[in-house]
Amino acid sequence: MGLTSPWLEYTVVALALILVALTVWLWPRLSGRGARVLLGRLGAIVLTQVSIVCALALAVNNSFEFYGSWDDLLGNNDKAPVAVSQGGGQYTSVGDVKGGLVQPAGPQGLDRVTGLPQGPADKVGKMESVRIVGRRTRAINPAFVYLPPQYFQPQFRRQRFPVMVVISGYPGGIMNLAQHLQIPQNAGKLIAKGTMQPTVMVMVRPTIAPPRDTECVDVPGGPQAETFFTKDLPDAMKSAYRVGHDPSAWGAFGYSSGGSCSLQLAMRNPKIYTSAVSLSGDYAIKDDLTTGSLFGAGPEGAKREREHDLLWRLKHLPAPQVSALVASSRKGEPDYGATMQFIHAVKAPMTVDSIILPRGSHQFATWRREVVPALEWQSKQLTFPQDVEAAPAKKRPGTGAEHGKGKEQGPGAAHPGAPAAPSSRPDEDRRAEAEPAGRG
């Protein structure tokens, strides 16, 4: 059974319950003195404790996805890209993969998620379960990719689509994006209603070296997480899918640590990501027990840490030409004060909009209220139609010249039915205020 198999979890839980029951039943027989009795009591305690710890560990791992397989747990990870096998299957990649940077994977938990596209891909879209291989970093990260219905429709067969890189929190995993935030389900509904552009969405976790929290930072002598998100991931997606090559096609979206990553990626790399959504994210990266030393020691380490403080960047460096959406709550969110400081610190050419709830907390009940307007907002920041792939070369009669090459298109007008953007005025509450406050 796989490490994340629910049957493995059920089996271990059942075993733990049986061992506890046997210990209670046999304990009177283990009373008294003597080596055999003492060893019996010690063995019963050890077995029950180990079984309970294993059951809890499996439950936590299945919830937060620290490890996706036995190989991940044992450190037997692939070290280099391999070729992708093109074949059938619900979760097999359909992209034109070059270089093996996107590899088909097993369900990775998708088979436990409800509400995913079911039916013809050109009508409802498709979810793919893949692994992203970092050509530079050698990192191999699990991912879900959502392809909208238009991706499979004949009239868009040469069209490149905008991309949202959706990043989970830490220690959460990609399952949280599909199961709790329902990113692909919400995107499908919004695209069907015309309030969101057809968009390819790649769902990833913020760390490339679990269980360490890499916080989208290039660690000196360690994991190169920023390089993965700004070079490896875009290269992999462009090699496998018809996605835009211009920065106007790319946006980052995340909650909690994923929101922090999104802001960092856009503000530090505006030629890669031109917009960012941060739901309850932080505005500075700090070392803690889960991160270890992210920046190194000495003056250079202090300099790198300063440069990952977004309020410091806005004060001391030119503002990047990106747009950001930040979300927080007046009561219940510890980052509300920092969010307001960030909003007031933003200067041209950067722009910032906000979703400020009257009450919320750092949990999915709050983020579920924010995710739909946030998806609609970021959709308006991305360009679609983006550009087109070159048509198959054809020779003009009598000339030998080729024609039919695709050409870049500039940013288009807002798509029909686009919703109003979230407020750019710091104290204006979005429409989510009218909803009942999420409960912790």
Side-chain angles (χ1 to χ4, degrees), residues 163-382:
V163 184
M164 289 188 195
V165 178
V166 188
I167 309 171
S168 71
Y170 178 88
I174 53 178
M175 270 287 289
N176 288 340
L177 296 168
Q179 189 169 35
H180 297 301
L181 276 195
Q182 299 196 323
I183 292 293
Q185 298 92 320
N186 282 311
K189 294 175 184 177
L190 294 174
I191 292 171
K193 290 196 306 182
T195 57
M196 178 177 167
Q197 301 182 89
T199 304
V200 171
M201 312 184 83
V202 53
M203 287 153 267
V204 290
R205 60 192 181 190
T207 177
I208 66 168
R212 183 178 184 180
D213 182 10
T214 52
E215 289 280 349
C216 298
V217 171
D218 278 351
V219 181
Q224 303 294 289
E226 186 172 18
T227 296
F228 177 84
F229 279 98
T230 57
K231 293 184 172 62
D232 286 346
L233 177 60
D235 284 354
M237 291 297 293
K238 291 171 187 176
S239 76
Y241 299 98
R242 297 196 319 275
V243 296
H245 289 197
D246 190 83
S248 64
W250 287 77
F253 185 117
Y255 69 89
S256 191
S257 294
S260 307
C261 279
S262 297
L263 288 175
Q264 294 280 341
L265 292 172
M267 292 184 65
R268 289 173 54 82
N269 305 274
K271 292 185 179 180
I272 306 296
Y273 297 96
T274 54
S275 67
V277 171
S278 174
L279 310 181
S280 304
D282 293 324
Y283 302 93
I285 304 297
K286 301 291 185 182
D287 290 346
D288 60 30
L289 291 176
T290 64
T291 65
S293 177
L294 292 173
F295 306 107
E300 281 300 313
K303 177 177 179 292
R304 281 191 286 266
E305 185 170 358
R306 280 197 306 272
E307 290 173 349
H308 283 81
D309 184 329
L310 301 183
L311 291 172
W312 182 92
R313 294 184 70 90
L314 288 170
K315 184 176 181 180
H316 295 94
L317 300 177
Q321 190 167 349
V322 297
S323 55
L325 173 67
V326 294
S328 187
S329 305
R330 287 198 179 97
K331 293 183 179 180
E333 276 281 21
D335 73 336
Y336 173 70
T339 298
M340 300 312 296
Q341 290 180 41
F342 178 81
I343 291 171
H344 290 298
V346 168
K347 55 190 176 184
M350 184 177 175
T351 62
V352 62
D353 294 332
S354 62
I355 298 175
I356 305 297
L357 300 179
R359 186 181 301 275
S361 55
H362 202 78
Q363 61 168 303
F364 288 106
T366 299
W367 300 324
R368 279 194 292 266
R369 299 173 59 195
E370 300 164 342
V371 68
V372 168
L375 288 171
E376 293 174 334
W377 177 91
Q378 187 155 67
S379 177
K380 292 184 64 178
Q381 316 306 311
L382 306 177

Side-chain angles (χ1 to χ4, degrees), residues 67-235:
Y67 302 99
S69 67
W70 292 109
D71 284 336
D72 285 346
L73 179 64
L74 299 174
N76 300 325
N77 293 319
D78 296 340
K79 302 300 181 183
V82 298
V84 175
S85 59
Q86 297 294 325
Q90 183 178 3
Y91 304 109
T92 300
S93 172
V94 299
D96 180 16
V97 181
K98 302 172 184 177
L101 300 181
V102 177
Q103 304 174 359
Q108 301 185 125
L110 268 188
D111 50 347
R112 304 198 303 268
V113 179
T114 59
L116 296 176
Q118 298 289 334
D122 61 345
K123 302 295 183 184
V124 298
K126 186 181 180 184
M127 282 289 290
E128 296 187 350
S129 178
V130 301
R131 298 189 306 166
I132 305 293
V133 178
R135 183 162 50 193
R136 299 167 184 81
T137 62
R138 299 302 188 196
I140 301 178
N141 248 15
F144 297 149
V145 176
Y146 169 76
L147 301 170
Q150 291 79 1
Y151 190 91
F152 303 95
Q153 295 172 2
Q155 63 269 38
F156 295 101
R157 65 183 177 276
R158 291 176 51 220
Q159 195 70 59
R160 293 194 180 111
F161 288 76
V163 184
M164 289 188 195
V165 178
V166 188
I167 309 171
S168 71
Y170 178 88
I174 53 178
M175 270 287 289
N176 288 340
L177 296 168
Q179 189 169 35
H180 297 301
L181 276 195
Q182 299 196 323
I183 292 293
Q185 298 92 320
N186 282 311
K189 294 175 184 177
L190 294 174
I191 292 171
K193 290 196 306 182
T195 57
M196 178 177 167
Q197 301 182 89
T199 304
V200 171
M201 312 184 83
V202 53
M203 287 153 267
V204 290
R205 60 192 181 190
T207 177
I208 66 168
R212 183 178 184 180
D213 182 10
T214 52
E215 289 280 349
C216 298
V217 171
D218 278 351
V219 181
Q224 303 294 289
E226 186 172 18
T227 296
F228 177 84
F229 279 98
T230 57
K231 293 184 172 62
D232 286 346
L233 177 60
D235 284 354

Side-chain angles (χ1 to χ4, degrees), residues 27 30-45:
W27 196 258
L30 299 175
S31 61
R33 298 182 179 181
R36 292 180 60 186
V37 173
L38 290 175
L39 287 175
R41 288 202 296 263
L42 180 61
I45 292 171

